[in-house]
Amino acid sequence: MRLAALTLALAVLSGCFPEGADPVGPWARSVSWLRASANGYLAEQNLAAAESDLRRALAMPVPTDPRAPPLLQDVDFALGSILLARGDARGALEVAERGVKRTREPTVFLANLHALQGIALEAMNRPLEAAERYHEALLLHQKLYDALLAGADER
């Protein structure tokens, strides 16, 4: 099952970034493969293996390209979620803060990281800071939703 999911992920991603002139393609496929592999381990409740795959993805040299930060933010979110599940709220907060700094472009990945910050801060008994991060996540989701609706109106 896990192999089939990974094969499908690779097939989809290989069409997203054509080989050749695009240096991001091979990197993005590798990171996405590791992210998918981590998901497989999470389904098996193997947090250690999932964390290992995510850390390997984050350790890879990152191309200078605006498409890279959102992919890394998704990996940051997954890693932070694992750290929270292990009871490491401080580690989860650090990972989320690093992810937020990657780009301020409004994406669902950035919103997820703000929510992760809120959850970690709440676990650390810092409710006011947590509420601020939750609010930031909600604002981003509203902005994305409004943009989606505006795009639908243009059709």
Side-chain angles (χ1 to χ4, degrees), residues 82-149:
I82 289 172
L83 295 174
L84 269 178
R86 289 186 168 191
D88 183 5
R90 184 174 310 282
L93 181 60
E94 289 171 4
V95 167
E97 287 174 345
R98 180 185 64 219
V100 165
K101 291 176 185 174
R102 291 186 191 282
T103 182
R104 297 297 298 168
E105 284 296 313
T107 65
V108 69
F109 305 112
L110 181 60
N112 287 346
L113 288 168
H114 282 298
L116 181 62
Q117 286 176 315
I119 296 167
L121 287 163
E122 196 171 355
M124 297 167 66
N125 199 27
R126 294 163 58 182
L128 292 177
E129 292 171 87
E132 291 171 353
R133 295 322 186 290
Y134 289 138
H135 183 71
E136 187 67 30
L138 287 171
L139 290 175
L140 275 171
H141 279 290
Q142 184 63 52
K143 184 175 186 173
L144 294 168
Y145 182 70
D146 290 346
L148 181 66
L149 289 179

